[in-house]
Amino acid sequence: MTALTSALYYIVIGAVFIYIFIYAYDFFYGEKPEKQIKKIHKHFRKETIKKIDTLEVEPRKYTLYQVTLENGFKKVKLKPGYKVVNIVAKKETKKKQKKGTV
């Protein structure tokens, strides 16, 4: 009986350590592209995705994707931990020129 309980104990503790090791590996060595694509599909679940292109990869920092939708395209940055950040284009501001006497 004690051998059975100790075997179950080692299996449970081993499973916890394996899960922590997989999570730490993803965090320190970058995420898998398949999981990133899944996360993008989950983020845009209400819209129809036509194509996903990888623009820039910076390991352990971010991955930049361009997602082509039915009504246009959006740029998305995925950070470690599969955090999705929408990239918004900057608006160009017109500088007002002062009227001066020349």
Side-chain angles (χ1 to χ4, degrees):
M1 187 66 176
T2 59
L4 182 65
T5 56
S6 66
L8 286 174
Y9 174 77
Y10 284 121
I11 290 172
V12 169
I13 296 301
V16 169
F17 278 114
I18 289 172
Y19 180 76
I20 290 171
F21 178 74
I22 290 172
Y23 184 76
Y25 182 82
D26 277 350
F27 181 76
F28 289 118
Y29 296 107
E31 288 86 11
K32 297 177 184 174
E34 297 85 22
K35 285 187 178 181
Q36 290 180 338
I37 300 291
K38 268 187 184 179
K39 187 67 174 189
I40 290 172
H41 278 285
K42 187 176 179 181
H43 185 73
F44 291 107
R45 66 181 170 267
K46 295 181 182 177
E47 302 178 36
T48 305
I49 298 174
K50 290 185 178 179
K51 187 177 176 184
I52 299 175
D53 297 320
T54 306
L55 297 178
E56 189 177 340
V57 177
E58 190 69 36
R60 290 186 249 164
K61 291 185 180 178
Y62 66 89
T63 305
L64 191 63
Y65 288 100
Q66 180 173 336
V67 181
T68 306
L69 304 168
E70 281 187 348
N71 56 357
F73 67 92
K74 292 184 180 179
K75 289 185 181 179
V76 174
K77 182 187 284 188
L78 264 80
K79 292 187 174 185
Y82 302 103
K83 295 177 185 172
V84 179
V85 178
N86 289 328
I87 304 295
V88 180
K90 293 182 180 179
K91 294 182 181 179
E92 292 185 25
T93 57
K94 295 182 179 179
K95 295 181 181 178
K96 294 183 181 180
Q97 295 177 354
K98 295 182 180 178
K99 290 186 177 180
T101 56
V102 181

